[in-house]
Amino acid sequence: MEAGSGAVQRKPICLKYPLCVCVTSIIGRAKVSIKTIQNMYKRKEPISMMTAQDYPSGLMVDQSGIDVCLVGDSLAMVALGYDSTNPLTVEDMLHHCRAVARGSKAPFLVADLPYGSYEASPEDAVKTSLRFIKEGNAEAVKLEGGVEMAETVHRITRVGIPVLAHIGLTPQRQSALGGFRVQGKTAKQARALLEDAFAIQDAGAFGVVLEAMPAEVAGYITEQLKIPTIGIGAGVHCSGQVLVQNDALGLFDRFVPK
């Protein structure tokens, strides 16, 4: 795999345990920055993103040539065994973010803001985001929501912190959505998703995750925006794709995503 930051040298290594698989170590790889991501988008190069939750999984993302490493709150379910992402605290996420940062050096590092840490006010969101940059060693934060989160995105970016937005199926709000269900299946729902995407783009987000929506809807949103879209269960027409590492490796026992 070619890293988004240009030519690299490869040194194969074999990880025999606990999984007998061979991976490629990227030697002398340039650091991926937000400018790298923007340039890839302009060149229409696919952007790769994968989650990590600790030092070994961060190292795997680093050595595989992935462009963006996401410390996702999905770790609540796949690593800690919770039934949803909502129980995670800021302290939990900071702990995991620091561990991932020790292993994932070259990828652009994004951290999820946990449920309850940013919704009450933009001021809360800014304070939490600053902690993730200062204490978690993250380079950007991700939050869920569209139109209703536009002012919050604007306030965070105004203090110099890049924001990756997340619309469609928003797991932190899955109870209000009736569970983990595909979004945007009707014309009204699809129009609302497009409005969400425009709102967070105008607020200053550098990209947006599109989760669990019809491929045609995700493709249309991607065509309309001037920032990259990162799909997960949203078809092949996005600017890039993100996977939960445990899902990709078959290490989560409760359900198998599409």
Side-chain angles (χ1 to χ4, degrees):
M1 183 193 310
E2 289 291 336
S5 50
V8 295
Q9 294 178 323
R10 293 172 173 79
K11 177 184 176 183
I13 61 175
C14 184
L15 302 179
K16 293 183 179 179
Y17 303 104
L19 299 174
C20 186
V21 295
C22 290
V23 301
T24 297
S25 177
I26 305 300
I27 305 300
R29 181 183 174 201
K31 180 74 178 79
V32 178
S33 67
I34 192 168
K35 189 65 176 179
T36 309
I37 302 301
Q38 292 168 344
N39 287 338
M40 291 179 68
Y41 173 67
K42 291 177 182 177
R43 295 193 297 264
K44 299 186 183 302
E45 294 181 20
I47 300 165
S48 58
M49 180 185 297
M50 182 167 278
T51 69
Q53 65 269 353
D54 53 21
Y55 174 78
S57 57
L59 193 63
M60 289 288 286
V61 173
D62 185 80
Q63 293 182 337
S64 66
I66 298 292
D67 302 307
V68 183
C69 182
L70 172 65
V71 187
D73 61 1
S74 56
L75 70 86
M77 301 175 71
V78 302
L80 302 180
Y82 289 118
D83 292 328
S84 73
T85 63
N86 292 357
L88 277 184
T89 66
V90 170
E91 299 303 328
D92 291 334
M93 284 297 293
L94 286 172
H95 171 80
H96 286 275
C97 193
R98 286 190 291 267
V100 171
R102 295 183 193 113
S104 184
K105 300 296 186 181
F108 190 63
L109 186 61
V110 181
D112 264 332
L113 297 183
Y115 179 71
S117 69
Y118 64 93
E119 297 91 340
S121 71
E123 290 75 18
D124 284 350
V126 170
K127 290 178 181 178
T128 304
S129 299
L130 288 169
R131 289 195 67 189
F132 274 88
I133 303 302
K134 291 184 63 175
E135 301 174 38
N137 297 318
E139 297 171 286
V141 298
K142 182 170 79 67
L143 56 78
E144 297 182 3
V147 171
E148 75 285 3
M149 284 290 118
E151 175 59 22
T152 297
V153 171
H154 173 67
R155 292 284 295 276
I156 297 172
T157 58
R158 197 167 67 181
V159 299
I161 300 175
V163 174
L164 178 65
H166 184 153
I167 64 174
L169 171 57
T170 46
Q172 293 177 359
R173 309 178 188 189
Q174 54 89 19
S175 294
L177 298 174
F180 294 96
R181 299 176 180 275
V182 174
Q183 304 297 302
K185 296 173 71 173
T186 69
K188 182 178 180 180
Q189 292 173 345
R191 185 162 50 248
L193 289 176
L194 182 60
E195 292 172 357
D196 283 337
F198 277 133
I200 55 91
Q201 173 181 261
D202 293 343
F206 76 87
V208 56
V209 171
L210 307 180
E211 180 167 2
M213 63 182 67
E216 296 80 7
V217 174
Y220 184 76
I221 291 174
T222 300
E223 290 176 357
Q224 300 304 308
L225 294 184
K226 297 179 181 179
I227 57 175
T229 60
I230 308 296
I232 179 166
V236 299
H237 305 299
C238 298
S239 311
Q241 299 289 329
V242 58
L243 286 177
V244 175
Q245 187 173 148
N246 298 63
D247 291 340
L249 297 177
L251 299 177
F252 186 56
D253 62 333
R254 295 180 188 172
F255 61 84
V256 179
K258 293 182 180 179

